[in-house]
């Protein structure tokens, strides 16, 4: 009987405590601190140290990606300090700035990052995709017509005539190709249409031509030489081009982007990527 009364007394006391807690007025907690409370189910922690409880974030955090050198310089000048670091990686086509990099005498967060991630232009990718491949006359003619703005030497108008010549001779039998002293390539063919069957003709085109391409979005333009490639298979002409060292042009374009950035920075641009 005594144990029953004791349990009853303890239960009533706990009810009084719980009621008092529920009816107590709210207590104001100070942001920036951690509080712990004992509850019937254990210790309850309230963490008020996060950015949600501040008037502004405690520090700058995040990765901002830009696509050209001008945008990189603009963001860097706004957020950098004397300890910011810049890295260039030619393999990844990136320039990365750690804006809150470690100081010589003290570590920092390394969590506010600016990255220039270069993207190849559509024109560059399309010329690179056909580089070294042989296609039909019709396909080659269509490619030239679609890319007249990039054709420098011979001029676009002349290259358009060449494209139209390819289309006009798509139903002939090609016999041979000869390199002329002028540096052009001449192809001998025989007509196969009913109206002109047996009629012989010639198709002359330049062996090399010069194109102008912008490798990356927002970068400068560069000249490349394309050398004619062909093969006659079963009287059909397959034709294409081979770009002269496009990898070197791509590397030069990346270095020029890095140089354009470095000219406006007090910090050196290091070769590599940050940790």
């Amino acid at each position: 009987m005594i144990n029953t009364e004791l349990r009853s007394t303890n239960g009533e006391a706990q009810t009084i405590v719980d009621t008092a807690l529920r009816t107590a007025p709210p207590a104001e907690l100070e942001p920036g601190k951690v509080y712990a409370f004992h509850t019937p189910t254990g210790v309850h922690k309230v963490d008020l140290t996060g950015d949600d409880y501040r008037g502004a974030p405690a520090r700058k955090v995040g990765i901002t990606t830009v696509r050209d050198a001008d945008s990189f310089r603009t963001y860097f000048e706004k957020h950098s300090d004397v300890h910011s670091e810049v890295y260039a990686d030619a393999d990844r086509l990136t320039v990365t700035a750690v804006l809150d990099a470690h100081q010589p005498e003290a570590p920092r967060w390394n969590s506010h990052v600016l990255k220039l991630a270069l993207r190849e232009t559509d024109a560059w990718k399309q010329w690179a995709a056909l580089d070294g491949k042989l296609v039909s006359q019709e396909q080659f003619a269509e490619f030239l017509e679609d890319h007249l703005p990039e054709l420098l030497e011979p001029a676009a108008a002349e290259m358009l005539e060449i494209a139209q010549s390819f289309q006009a001779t798509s139903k002939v039998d090609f016999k041979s190709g000869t390199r002329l002293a002028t540096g052009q390539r001449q192809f001998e063919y025989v007509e196969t249409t009913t109206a002109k069957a047996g009629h012989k003709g010639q198709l002359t085109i330049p062996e090399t031509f010069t194109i102008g391409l912008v490798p990356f979005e927002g970068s400068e333009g560069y000249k490349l030489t394309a050398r004619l490639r062909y093969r006659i298979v079963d009287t059909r002409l397959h034709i294409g081009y081979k770009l002269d060292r496009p990898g070197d042009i791509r590397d030069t374009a990346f270095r020029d982007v890095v140089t354009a950035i470095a000219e406006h920075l007090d910090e050196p641009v290091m070769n590599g990527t940050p940790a």
Side-chain angles (χ1 to χ4, degrees), residues 4 16 49 56 65 79 85 105 121 124-125 132-133 173-174 179 183 191 222 227-228 249 255:
T4 302
I16 294 172
T49 61
T65 301
H79 296 282
E85 297 174 351
E105 68 283 357
T121 61
W124 179 272
K125 289 187 287 188
K133 296 180 180 179
D173 289 344
F174 282 89
R179 187 178 187 280
E191 293 277 4
Y222 299 81
R227 302 184 183 280
L228 186 69
I249 298 297
R255 288 195 300 269

Side-chain angles (χ1 to χ4, degrees), residues 204-216:
T204 303
I205 61 175
E207 192 167 43
T208 64
F209 52 97
T210 303
I211 62 175
L213 292 179
V214 177
F216 309 118

Side-chain angles (χ1 to χ4, degrees), residues 5 18 66 136 152-153 248 256:
E5 292 177 352
D18 292 342
V66 295
S136 68
L152 302 180
E153 299 174 11
D248 290 351
D256 288 347

